[in-house]
Amino acid sequence: MPNVFEDELLQPSTKPEAHQQYLSYDNYDDNDEEAASHDTLHNRSSHWEALGREDGGFKQYSMATHLIKTETHWRILLIVGGLLLALGFATGHHLYLSSIASKDVRFTRSQFWVRAINNLFSHAVAITSGVVCTYSTVQAVWYTAGTRPTRLLTLNRLFSLPTPSAIGGLLIRPSPHLIPPLLIAIAMQALVLVTIFSPSTLTTGQAESRLVNISVPTLDLFQTEMYTNRPQPQTSGGNGTTGGDEMEIIPRWDQIISTAMTTPPTTYWRIPQGCGAACSYSLTYTTPALECRELAQGESELTLSHFTIGFADSHCFPENQMFYRANSSFTNGNSSNNNNNNNESGRMTSDLVVQYILAPPPNVHRVPKMDCPFYFQQPHGVACTVREKAQYRMTYSLSNNVQSVTSSVLDYGDDSVGYNTPMALNSRTISKIFTTAFMGEITFSGAQTAQIHSLSNELAFRRIFSLQDSSLLTPFLFQLTDPAVSPKVGLVQLFADMTIGLMAFRPENTTVPSMVWDGSIVWKYDRHTLLLIYTAALGCPSLASLYSMFCLWQNQGAIDNTFSTFVLTAIRTKELSDHFKSIREIDEVEKTKLQFSTRKESFILHTK
């Protein structure tokens, strides 16, 4: 298509008057700058009018029409192609991260290059999305400029999009018709967040634990006898009673059981083979368990005796006071509690009966003499029975080379283990050693040291109770080792911990499913976060491209934000030239309202 503007401009002989005016634009008097400016605008307007006037009408010649018709398809190709390219980079990023996810960091390529490629994909998506937003902003700006008259100051900011200063200026006085290009510009600036959050979806962490069957220790009392002879049940004959419950405990197992009572349950445990760097599993096993209840009021045989006031009336000294007694019987003060055997003398028997009187905390001082008995608490007690066929659930975990284990009773069972079966005899052996460890008495009769009688395992006793001797200035203290744990709960848990500790010395093993971590560090890929980021990063350019296609249709083609485009659309009408020639202040220039006309391919002055 021939360029009429250029052809006529290069032929001065055709319109010599107009050409002479054009040539005289730079020939003004330097001493009269204002007059020169007005003459230039006037000559320039006359020149365009002379070039465009033909047959009495104004025929508009411009390079804009030519550019619109020849470059529209390139703009569409850039917008659509950029969007597809951004989608391709996003897909490639997902495939790349998926390919290295769950792989051991030690066996992949250098971590630097892995992270560098991760960042490269993120920047590629941001850049290509930015290209789409850039070209979409241009078309949206030209369409917005033609929708309604707009002040020149606002047009300055509009055509400066997507710079932050232009965005800020338009946000100060927003207008509804400015919203589309403004949103596209803001979305473009926000694309920098893609390069920040997208790479963070690739991290390193522990490998996922796997379910593996491993061999672990257990407790099976049907095996490995802990006694040397098997007693026979008692029978009554013509010559009296024969047989009996006498059996000898193997000294080795006596020592092992006593040790298991006084140490944490995993002290002698070896880490199960195949457990890796960390593992966890649960296990059920059958063994004796202790079932305890609190003694009701009137069942305890301990009473508070006489006290004397100590040095400077600072504390009480009990006289011949028993603070602790543990045996296998107690007064039948409450016949409704019939869980234990009731003998003919009106006493109830149990495997272990613990009665105690606790002292108050050491911060209690200055007790008056008449209130001295109330310095100590009222008698309490628990009665415990051994259930020989209880079922436990044990939970084991290993982390950072530290073993932890807990156990709880699932079911106390029915005690149908027979009389002299290995299970029954082993259970009886364990129970006898445990209950004997607590049987005995503690008295205090005014001396500085408490009298301990018959306690066979004082270390096990001190896991439940705390004993502190008195002096002239400090009272005798008999308290719980852990005030938050009552003897009823403490004894049951101590018995359970003992059964766990025995597993380290028993030969029995069983196979259980375990969650095992092998200690490896792998790449972690958060695909859901990446999907969310790229949905926003590609959604905004997609909407912007659709809106730009609408603007292209309304503008009848693509328009550039080039300087030549501004020249061809801004200085071609005599009306604009005359208006700006009459303005003296820059503020008045910025208040001028212009509107772009697609039909005239120029800005027109709005005078209302």
Side-chain angles (χ1 to χ4, degrees), residues 118-140:
N118 180 39
N119 291 332
L120 181 63
F121 273 113
S122 302
H123 283 76
V125 173
I127 291 172
T128 50
S129 298
V131 169
V132 175
C133 289
T134 299
Y135 284 104
S136 299
T137 302
V138 172
Q139 307 310 315

Side-chain angles (χ1 to χ4, degrees), residues 524-542:
K524 296 280 188 176
Y525 165 39
D526 188 353
R527 53 177 47 87
H528 298 292
T529 302
L530 188 71
L531 176 63
L532 181 63
I533 294 172
Y534 281 162
T535 298
L538 297 177
C540 292
S542 300

Side-chain angles (χ1 to χ4, degrees), residues 323-324 356-362 376 438 442 450 452 455 458-470 475-483 485 487:
F323 286 94
Y324 176 87
Y356 55 91
I357 300 175
L358 297 178
F376 295 91
F438 288 90
I442 298 177
I452 301 176
L455 288 178
E458 190 173 338
L459 291 177
F461 167 82
R462 289 183 181 272
R463 295 189 67 179
I464 305 297
F465 297 98
S466 173
L467 182 63
Q468 177 180 317
D469 293 334
S470 67
F476 166 74
L477 294 180
F478 180 64
Q479 298 174 309
L480 298 177
T481 301
D482 185 354
V485 179

Side-chain angles (χ1 to χ4, degrees), residues 19 28 95 109 120 178 216 294 385 410 448 457 560 563 565:
H19 180 62
Y28 59 87
L95 295 177
R109 67 187 70 179
L120 181 63
L178 300 175
V216 299
E294 300 281 356
T385 303
L410 291 179
Q448 296 182 10
N457 193 335
D560 282 337
F563 180 73
T565 304

Side-chain angles (χ1 to χ4, degrees), residues 97-117:
L97 295 183
S98 297
S99 66
I100 66 172
S102 301
K103 288 187 177 180
D104 197 323
V105 174
R106 297 171 297 178
F107 303 123
T108 55
R109 67 187 70 179
S110 171
Q111 291 191 37
F112 169 79
W113 288 109
V114 171
R115 298 186 184 279
I117 296 174

